[in-house]
Amino acid sequence: MAEITLNNVRKSYGTVEAIKGVSLDIKDGEFVVLVGPSGCGKSTLLRMIAGLEGITGGDIQIGSRRVNDVEPAERDIAMVFQNYALYPHMTVRQNLSYGLKNRNTPAAEIDRRMASAAKTLEIEQYLDRKPRQLSGGQRQRVAMGRAIVREPAAFLFDEPLSNLDAKLRGQMRIEIKRLQRALGTTSVYVTHDQMEAMTLADRLVVVNAGRIEQVGTPIELYEKPATTFVATFIGSPSMNLLPSMSAAASWSLAAHVSPQGNFTLGVRPEDLAPVFPEGKHFDFEATVQIDGIELVGAESLLHGKLANGADLVFRVSGRARNEIGDMVKIGANADALHIFDANGQRQQSGIADSAKTGS
Ligand SMILES: Nc1ncnc2c1ncn2[C@@H]1O[C@H](COP(=O)(O)OP(=O)(O)OP(=O)(O)O)[C@@H](O)[C@H]1O
Ligand SMILES: [Mg+2]
């Protein structure tokens, strides 16, 4: 087991700078999840930690060792990919033991580790099958097993579940978390999936165009996004963002909420509610015309437009009482409002303290 330290790591492909100076301390045993839009550099970062990609600048340390020039096989880490990368002509047993045999691990030790991993992953009954005789979920388990038997200092996962259907993803997500807790192995995990990111991560790292945008626990990023980028990236559906200038005509803020200058107001769909009964006052109020209703099981998402045409989405539990075309007054309290400056940076000063403490 080991901590992983990235210090001002850079990567250029020719003249294109894919990673523009990333520094990150990953603690021993920590589960860190990298999220960010396609092409932002998540896989590149992971591959640089693994040693599959050279680095253009900076330092990578695994444990106490600087590994910039250390071969992948010597870095003591195991990587799990989306496409499993199992050897098709080998049985599950051979797939699991191949890496260990290559490292001249004694046969008894290979058997011990294989038995333990197969039991943990519940793949004991498939040991003599070839990968093509397994389902996607079973193959993914074998790929995990191959990483586990190496007993590495760290696991690196690059969207390992994205080929699986939603139900299986959910199951595997829980298993990965359980496994990582039991093994206590430092893990770096790349995903596009909000649920995976929020539930797996001890800490979440939001990557944007080759740079780290924000690092924090999932709930920190959810409750206090540092930028509009993070605000729209974490949470589904995304936080509503209303520019002060263009939207001012169609919504209003209470007097004690007084952001300065040109700002963007953010409010999450779950923090907005229909104003009911009439006469109750919210710090933020707006009237929307409903133009879409999605019933998603336990809750409904209502989409609407402000008078100036800006889109807004809010959620209510259960079935919506409204219909398409209804004009609905919605509101939110000051403590649910996020205020960003003209550069998209979070601003705290716009909301008076009395409002935030709810007095
Ligand atoms: N071998 C390469 N040669 C040139 N450019 C590359 C190479 N590999 C990656 N890139 C570029 O580096 C950037 C980061 O790519 P990377 O694969 O790390 O993105 P990603 O965040 O993993 O995206 P995705 O979510 O789509 O997997 C992209 O702009 C990509 O085009
Ligand atoms: Mg990728």
Side-chain angles (χ1 to χ4, degrees):
M1 273 164 257
E3 59 272 351
I4 300 174
T5 309
L6 308 184
N7 188 9
N8 199 20
V9 169
R10 295 172 179 277
K11 176 73 187 182
S12 299
Y13 294 106
T15 56
V16 179
E17 208 178 19
I19 303 294
K20 299 166 183 158
V22 164
S23 297
L24 182 66
D25 288 322
I26 300 168
K27 295 189 219 74
D28 185 17
E30 194 175 22
F31 201 123
V32 164
V33 175
L34 306 182
V35 293
S38 184
C40 71
K42 305 177 296 292
S43 296
T44 304
L45 271 172
L46 217 56
R47 292 170 59 80
M48 288 196 293
I49 298 171
L52 301 171
E53 202 77 73
I55 69 176
T56 314
D59 281 312
I60 298 181
Q61 232 173 286
I62 300 176
S64 54
R65 213 162 44 129
R66 182 176 176 270
V67 296
N68 290 28
D69 303 312
V70 176
E71 288 295 313
E74 304 300 321
R75 290 193 187 194
D76 194 20
I77 50 185
M79 196 149 168
V80 182
F81 300 94
Q82 160 182 1
N83 56 9
Y84 326 122
L86 298 175
Y87 299 109
H89 57 287
M90 292 185 189
T91 62
V92 169
R93 191 186 301 280
Q94 289 164 332
N95 264 287
L96 290 176
S97 60
Y98 183 73
L100 297 178
K101 280 197 177 130
N102 265 356
R103 284 178 189 75
N104 298 317
T105 312
E109 176 65 11
I110 294 180
D111 286 345
R112 182 193 68 77
R113 291 192 196 181
M114 214 157 49
S116 161
K119 184 160 186 287
T120 309
L121 292 163
E122 296 174 14
I123 51 173
E124 289 155 303
Q125 62 272 47
Y126 312 123
L127 286 174
D128 296 311
R129 291 203 199 167
K130 300 261 175 72
R132 70 180 141 74
Q133 298 168 307
L134 299 174
S135 73
Q138 291 160 348
R139 276 180 225 172
Q140 193 55 54
R141 267 168 232 252
V142 177
M144 293 276 303
R146 206 172 42 173
I148 292 172
V149 293
R150 292 189 35 202
E151 300 185 354
F155 292 127
L156 306 178
F157 299 92
D158 198 350
E159 310 204 37
L161 307 184
S162 53
N163 277 346
L164 306 179
D165 65 45
K167 181 153 177 266
L168 201 48
R169 276 172 91 127
Q171 289 170 359
M172 286 297 293
R173 185 177 82 220
I174 293 163
E175 278 183 35
I176 287 176
K177 187 70 184 173
R178 185 172 53 78
L179 253 175
Q180 198 267 348
R181 275 216 191 95
L183 301 172
T185 309
T186 311
S187 300
V188 188
Y189 190 105
V190 169
T191 184
H192 273 108
D193 186 301
Q194 286 274 335
M195 278 292 277
E196 279 178 31
M198 296 297 284
T199 57
L200 287 173
D202 293 322
R203 276 193 306 159
L204 256 178
V205 178
V206 180
V207 183
N208 180 16
R211 285 197 179 84
I212 291 182
E213 187 86 12
Q214 190 175 3
V215 182
T217 62
I219 203 69
E220 278 167 3
L221 267 58
Y222 187 80
E223 291 182 343
K224 284 202 158 62
T227 62
T228 47
F229 182 87
V230 177
T232 50
F233 206 80
I234 305 292
S236 175
S238 286
M239 184 187 285
N240 296 291
L241 291 180
L242 303 170
S244 57
M245 299 309 283
S246 65
S250 0
W251 51 269
S252 64
L253 290 175
H256 60 267
V257 182
S258 53
Q260 302 300 308
N262 222 337
F263 65 92
T264 298
L265 180 83
V267 56
R268 293 211 179 270
E270 53 273 37
D271 292 329
L272 285 167
V275 176
F276 183 84
E278 204 61 45
K280 181 175 178 197
H281 275 295
F282 285 89
D283 296 303
F284 166 82
E285 290 184 349
T287 302
V288 293
Q289 181 162 32
I290 304 297
D291 62 4
I293 299 176
E294 296 171 291
L295 176 62
V296 282
E299 60 180 24
S300 298
L301 301 176
L302 286 93
H303 300 262
K305 274 195 187 340
L306 297 175
N308 68 2
D311 291 309
L312 207 69
V313 55
F314 64 103
R315 61 195 331 154
V316 297
S317 64
R319 280 170 191 275
R321 288 195 238 166
N322 299 101
E323 288 172 20
I324 304 277
D326 282 0
M327 300 297 288
V328 180
K329 193 170 177 190
I330 53 174
N333 284 320
D335 57 5
L337 301 179
H338 305 258
I339 296 180
F340 302 95
D341 67 18
N343 300 315
Q345 301 293 312
R346 185 182 192 82
Q347 234 184 359
Q348 283 305 347
S349 55
I351 302 171
D353 285 341
S354 60
K356 291 182 80 178
T357 54
S359 59

